[in-house]
Amino acid sequence: MMRAASSDLPLVLDRVSLSAGPVTMLDCLSLTITPGAPTLVVGPNGSGKTSLLRLCMGLAAPSAGSVSWGGRTDRGPARRAILFQKPVMLRRSATANVVYALGQAGCPRRLRAARAAELLERVGLLGLANHPARRLSGGEQQRLALARALARDPEILLLDEPTASLDPAATRFVEEIILMAAQSGTKVVMASHDLGQVRRLAGDVVFLVRGRLCAHAASGDFFEYPSTPKAAAFIRGDLVL
Amino acid sequence: MSEELSAWQLIASGDATLFAIVRLSLAVTLSAVAIAAVIGLPLGALLALARFPGRSAVVVVLNGFMGLPPVIVGLSVYLLLSRSGPLGEFGLLFTPAAMVIAQAVLVLPIIAALTRQTIEDLWHEYREELTAMDVGPLGQVATLLWDSRFSLFTALLAGFGRAAAEVGTVMIVGGNINGFTRTMTTTVALETSKGNLPLAVGLGLILIFLIILINAAAWGVRLWSEQRAG
Ligand SMILES: Nc1ncnc2c1ncn2[C@@H]1O[C@H](COP(=O)(O)OP(=O)(O)O)[C@@H](O)[C@H]1O
Ligand SMILES: [Mg+2]
C-alpha cells in the first residue's frame, strides 16, 4: 500500500465543542496530537473520550471550533483506522472481514489472501480464519477488529477502550500488538480507563472530566506531578465525578 | 374418498392437462417474482438508505401495500390493460403476460418492503464501521445487499408463496381461459364449482406440496446461512 505524500499529523483541535441537543459532550477543548508514542485519553465514564475520538476520526463535526489534520480542515484523515468500543463484525468469515478491509484500503486483489493470513496470525486468530466472525467470542472479535484496523496500514490508529472486556492475558496480547504498531510508525490514540495500561503504553496522557480537558502531559509528568487536584484524585484511584 | 383416489391417479398418470396447468402457473409466478425482484430489491435498498422529506409516509404506504387485496390489484391492472385503458393497444388482457404483470404488482410491495426493513436494520449496525472504512455509497449498497442475501432470498420466497397461492388477480386479468391462462388456483376454483373434484383436489395437493417445499427451502436457507455467516 502506498504512503500518501501528505501527512494527517499533527492533529489539532482548536477550541472544539461538541453537543447534541441540550447535551454538551465536549466543551471548548484545545489539543494537539503529534507523531510519536501513543496518546492515551483517560477519564471517568461519560467524560467524553469516545466523543473526542469521533472528532479526531472526522466522524463527527464539531459544533464550535475546528479540527485540522496536517493543516487541512476540509476532510477527515485519509489513512486512519478505528477500533470502536463495540466493533461490528461483517456477516462473513474472519478472513473475509480482513479481506474486505484490505480491499477498501486499496490492497491489490491478488495480495489480499496472503496479507489477511499475515494479519490474522499477528492477532492470534489464524486458527479461526474460516469461522463466521459473529460467532467469535468478544475478545476474539476485538482482535479481529484490530486486524481489520491494521489492514488499512494507518498513519493514525484510534482505539476506543480496546481491552475493556478482555482478561489480563488477552489484554497483554493486544497491548503488544498496539505497541508493535506504534513502533512501526503508526500514531496511536487510545481511550482507556485502566491506569495500569496508561502507565504501560502512554507517551502522553489526555485527561478529560465532564467534556473538559483537565490535563495534558507527558506520561511521566502526568503521574508524578499531576497538574490539577482532579488528576491527582484520579491517579490515586479516587472517584472523580 | 374416491375423489382423492382419482386425484392421486391423475397426478401419478402424469395427466397432460394437469401438468400444463402446473407448468403455466409456475412460469407465470416465477416471471412475476423475477420482475418484482429486479425492481423491488434496489428500490427497497434505496429507500433504506435515502433520506428525503415524506420518507416515513412512503415506508408506511409500502408496508400497507404488502397486504393489498389481490382482487384490487387485478381490477387495477385490468383497467390499465383493457381496450380503452392506457396500455390497451398492446392487447395483453387475458394473456399470460397480463397475469405476470398483475402478480408482479402484487408481489413488488412485499419484496420492496422486506428488503427495505432488512437493509435498514443492517445499515444501522454497519454504518459506523463502513464509514470508518471510507466505503462509498455504491460499495455500501453492495455490501449490505451481499451480507443480507439470505434474508433477501427469504423475502423472494415469501413473494413467490403469495403469488402462487392467490386467485383474484389472475382470474380477473387472465380470464381463466382453458389451455391458455388457466392456473392452479383458478382451475381449483372453477372445477370445484363445476363439481369436477378429482382435478381440483389433484391441483390442490400439488399446490400444498409447492408451498411446503418453499417453506422448507426458506428454513433450510436460514439454517445454512446461520452456519455460514453467523
Ligand atoms: N449522540 C449523543 N447524544 C446525546 N448525548 C450523547 C451522545 N453521545 C454521547 N452522549 C453523552 O455525552 C457524554 C460523553 O459520552 P462519551 O464520549 O461516550 O464518554 P466516554 O466515552 O468517556 O464514556 C455522555 O454523558 C453521553 O451520555
Ligand atoms: Mg466511550
Side-chain angles (χ1 to χ4, degrees):
Chain A
M1 273 157 282
M2 295 202 312
R3 294 259 161 188
S6 67
S7 170
D8 287 319
L9 290 169
L11 198 172
V12 181
L13 290 89
D14 184 18
R15 282 160 291 163
V16 161
S17 296
L18 181 67
S19 46
V23 185
T24 301
M25 280 103 86
L26 293 173
D27 192 9
C28 199
L29 186 147
S30 294
L31 178 67
T32 300
I33 292 173
T34 49
T39 298
L40 270 279
V41 180
V42 300
N45 279 330
S47 56
K49 302 183 292 295
T50 298
S51 306
L52 178 63
L53 291 184
R54 291 175 56 82
L55 276 174
C56 293
M57 299 160 193
L59 284 185
S63 324
S66 69
V67 186
S68 68
W69 296 270
R72 285 188 329 273
T73 54
D74 50 334
R75 58 170 176 82
R79 292 202 311 107
R80 51 115 169 83
I82 301 154
L83 182 55
F84 291 103
Q85 201 162 356
K86 296 197 183 87
V88 174
M89 301 291 109
L90 300 183
R91 297 181 182 195
R92 306 172 186 214
S93 68
T95 303
N97 266 269
V98 180
V99 165
Y100 184 90
L102 285 167
Q104 283 307 319
C107 174
R109 196 176 289 274
R110 66 198 152 78
L111 302 179
R112 286 179 204 163
R115 186 95 181 86
E118 232 173 86
L119 287 160
L120 285 175
E121 174 150 44
R122 190 144 143 214
V123 300
L125 287 179
L126 201 52
L128 296 170
N130 295 320
H131 278 236
R134 295 156 74 91
R135 291 283 185 78
L136 300 176
S137 74
E140 289 161 352
Q141 291 195 1
Q142 204 76 33
R143 281 186 280 153
L144 180 56
L146 187 55
R148 237 168 33 182
L150 293 173
R152 296 179 67 78
D153 187 24
E155 182 184 12
I156 307 177
L157 176 59
L158 300 124
L159 307 148
D160 198 354
E161 306 198 25
T163 61
S165 58
L166 304 186
D167 62 27
T171 298
R172 182 198 191 87
F173 187 73
V174 166
E175 283 181 7
E176 276 168 12
I177 299 168
I178 293 169
L179 275 179
M180 223 158 82
Q183 275 154 16
S184 66
T186 297
K187 174 65 194 187
V188 172
V189 181
M190 172 168 161
S192 175
H193 61 231
D194 173 353
L195 282 177
Q197 178 167 65
V198 176
R199 284 181 198 274
R200 290 192 293 276
L201 298 182
D204 58 330
V205 179
V206 172
F207 178 49
L208 298 179
V209 177
R210 288 209 243 160
R212 288 170 184 272
L213 182 68
C214 200
H216 181 196
S219 179
D221 295 344
F222 179 77
F223 286 105
E224 296 303 320
Y225 316 106
S227 58
T228 64
K230 273 185 174 145
F234 188 73
I235 293 163
R236 281 198 309 275
D238 292 351
L239 294 175
V240 178
L241 303 171
Chain B
M1 283 179 59
S2 63
E3 278 91 15
E4 274 179 31
L5 256 180
S6 34
W8 284 114
Q9 279 162 5
L10 215 55
I11 297 173
S13 68
D15 181 74
T17 323
L18 185 139
F19 281 98
I21 292 170
V22 172
R23 206 174 308 121
L24 177 73
S25 296
L26 288 179
V28 165
T29 302
L30 283 174
S31 311
V33 170
I35 291 170
V38 167
I39 303 170
L41 290 174
L43 194 71
L46 194 72
L47 194 54
L49 299 181
R51 291 288 173 272
F52 54 90
R55 179 179 174 276
S56 311
V58 174
V59 170
V60 168
V61 169
L62 185 63
N63 283 343
F65 274 18
M66 283 210 285
L68 223 49
V71 283
I72 303 294
V73 173
L75 179 61
S76 314
V77 174
Y78 180 95
L79 293 174
L80 221 57
L81 298 182
S82 69
R83 287 265 168 263
S84 53
L87 301 177
E89 57 188 300
F90 300 108
L92 290 176
L93 200 61
F94 306 133
T95 68
M99 300 198 292
V100 171
I101 293 171
Q103 285 201 340
V105 171
L106 188 73
V107 169
L108 177 63
I110 296 176
I111 292 176
L114 292 178
T115 302
R116 202 270 313 159
Q117 186 69 57
T118 304
I119 298 281
E120 195 168 327
D121 289 349
L122 197 62
W123 175 234
H124 280 305
E125 231 183 292
Y126 277 14
R127 186 179 55 212
E128 288 217 308
E129 295 283 359
L130 296 191
T131 311
M133 285 192 248
D134 294 318
V135 182
L138 276 179
Q140 289 170 358
V141 171
T143 304
L144 291 167
L145 285 173
W146 178 252
D147 278 20
S148 54
R149 60 197 180 281
F150 299 116
S151 310
L152 296 180
F153 185 66
T154 314
L156 295 189
L157 288 178
F160 182 86
R162 166 118 158 124
E166 71 80 33
V167 195
T169 51
V170 284
M171 185 76 99
I172 294 176
V173 304
N176 202 16
I177 301 165
N178 196 1
F180 186 47
T181 60
R182 198 160 280 186
T183 65
M184 287 190 275
T185 53
T186 58
T187 312
V188 170
L190 180 73
E191 299 301 328
T192 304
S193 68
K194 285 198 327 201
N196 180 6
L197 292 184
L199 184 56
V201 174
L203 285 169
L205 288 172
I206 291 178
L207 197 54
I208 290 171
F209 171 74
L210 281 174
I211 300 295
I212 289 175
L213 200 68
I214 289 165
N215 282 291
W219 192 69
V221 164
R222 178 177 218 96
L223 219 65
W224 188 68
S225 71
E226 272 168 12
Q227 277 172 12
R228 281 277 312 268

